[in-house]
Amino acid sequence: EPSEEKSDDDDSVAGDPAPFLSDDEDLDDENNSQLVQTLRNGVLPPELRVLYGLALMAEGGRNYLAGKCLEAIDDLEQESTAWLTSGEKETEASGMPLWHLFRTAMTEPLGRTAAYSFLADVLRKSKKEREWSVYFSSWFRRHLTMLEVVGLKDHVLGLREASSSFVSFRKNQLLKIILAACTFDIEAVESPAQKSPVNYRELVVIDDTERIKIAVGTMKILSEVLYLMWKVEADGSIPAMCADVSPVFNYFSFQSIARA
């Protein structure tokens, strides 16, 4: 009897339920999907744990649970360099690229880099970057290393002018991660002893040697990507990315002058 072959459209892995539910799913059916069964048992897949953690963090008041849920972020699948352009043709051919981009962001499987970008967005928009900086500083540094390993960092450094709205969207996702990493590292360098946001009885202390190492690494990555963020539009306005990177750049510029 011939064995069934896994089709290209089947993203599930044996023993690992796909984190998607059909609109037609009968939640009361005893023979329903493995995902529904795991949800009934109180076990959320990594994608849902991360999204739940983001919601808790933005809401505030339950930082410990938020932090534990967000630990699943590194269990997500890491995107490859193909992720940068995988939907470019479809987006540009749709006739409504911005709508197609939004649809893609909301419906595609949540990968690790996309999740880190969402995390950076939530922290910035909820004005909680300083509160969580000591907790996430090492996470974002670790992910920057991963971006370098898989080649995404080198690809984004070569995107001075994005070829399409889709590639520009991907580039901005990566730049958000890099900017967030630099922002958190400034807090780590400037305030070496901080209370953990998930356990106020715990004092996180970073020694001088590690602070110097963090500062040097931050200045290096900032010098590599600054030309991608530093931009003034034709009408004289400053893009949000440029406005966000200015305090980071100014901090290191001021420190360099002060030590000269």
Side-chain angles (χ1 to χ4, degrees):
E1 201 174 312
S3 60
E4 293 185 4
E5 293 185 2
K6 181 177 180 291
S7 68
D8 293 336
D9 295 330
D10 185 6
D11 293 329
S12 63
V13 178
D16 184 18
F20 307 105
L21 291 175
S22 165
D23 290 339
D24 300 323
E25 188 98 44
D26 183 0
L27 300 183
D28 295 322
D29 184 359
E30 293 182 358
N31 298 316
N32 54 21
S33 70
Q34 187 179 351
L35 172 60
V36 176
Q37 296 294 347
T38 59
L39 292 177
R40 282 180 170 173
N41 293 333
V43 180
L44 296 177
E47 292 85 351
L48 294 183
R49 291 207 301 273
V50 170
L51 293 174
Y52 184 46
L54 290 173
L56 290 173
M57 186 179 63
E59 182 184 29
R62 289 185 284 179
N63 284 359
Y64 177 78
L65 183 56
K68 296 303 290 184
C69 288
L70 287 168
E71 287 178 0
I73 196 168
D74 285 330
D75 293 333
L76 300 176
E77 182 178 352
Q78 174 57 51
E79 300 90 335
S80 66
T81 53
W83 171 77
L84 283 171
T85 57
S86 60
E88 182 177 16
K89 292 182 180 179
E90 294 84 350
T91 300
E92 299 309 310
S94 68
M96 302 177 65
L98 294 181
W99 165 248
H100 198 276
L101 276 175
F102 175 78
R103 181 177 179 275
T104 298
M106 294 298 104
T107 60
E108 68 178 354
L110 183 63
R112 192 183 307 177
T113 293
Y116 269 99
S117 178
F118 284 137
L119 175 56
D121 253 346
V122 171
L123 287 165
R124 182 177 62 84
K125 292 178 179 179
S126 61
K127 302 186 185 302
K128 294 186 177 183
E129 289 175 309
R130 179 180 290 271
E131 177 186 354
W132 285 88
S133 61
V134 66
Y135 190 77
F136 287 129
S137 176
S138 61
W139 291 31
F140 275 76
R141 284 199 304 277
R142 183 172 64 243
H143 193 63
L144 288 184
T145 300
M146 175 59 70
L147 294 179
E148 193 166 356
V149 169
V150 300
L152 280 171
K153 179 186 170 186
D154 288 340
H155 271 68
V156 77
L157 292 179
L159 294 174
R160 180 179 288 273
E161 294 295 335
S163 58
S164 65
S165 56
F166 184 89
V167 175
S168 179
F169 169 67
R170 293 298 196 210
K171 180 183 77 171
N172 285 336
Q173 283 184 292
L174 290 165
L175 291 179
K176 286 176 183 178
I177 295 171
I178 295 172
L179 180 57
C182 293
T183 302
F184 300 148
D185 284 348
I186 285 179
E187 291 294 333
V189 171
E190 195 172 38
S191 305
Q194 298 184 45
K195 290 183 178 180
S196 168
V198 300
N199 182 1
Y200 292 119
R201 295 181 179 179
E202 178 186 358
L203 188 65
V204 180
V205 180
I206 304 175
D207 62 43
D208 290 344
T209 302
E210 183 65 17
R211 289 172 64 202
I212 293 172
K213 181 180 177 181
I214 291 172
V216 171
T218 304
M219 286 189 285
K220 179 178 181 296
I221 186 66
L222 187 61
S223 65
E224 291 175 341
V225 302
L226 187 60
Y227 72 95
L228 292 173
M229 301 180 182
W230 200 264
K231 180 182 179 182
V232 178
E233 302 290 359
D235 60 0
S237 61
I238 299 177
M241 186 74 69
C242 182
D244 290 338
V245 78
S246 295
V248 180
F249 178 68
N250 290 340
Y251 173 83
F252 283 109
S253 298
F254 176 77
Q255 293 298 324
S256 298
I257 294 172
R259 287 173 172 76

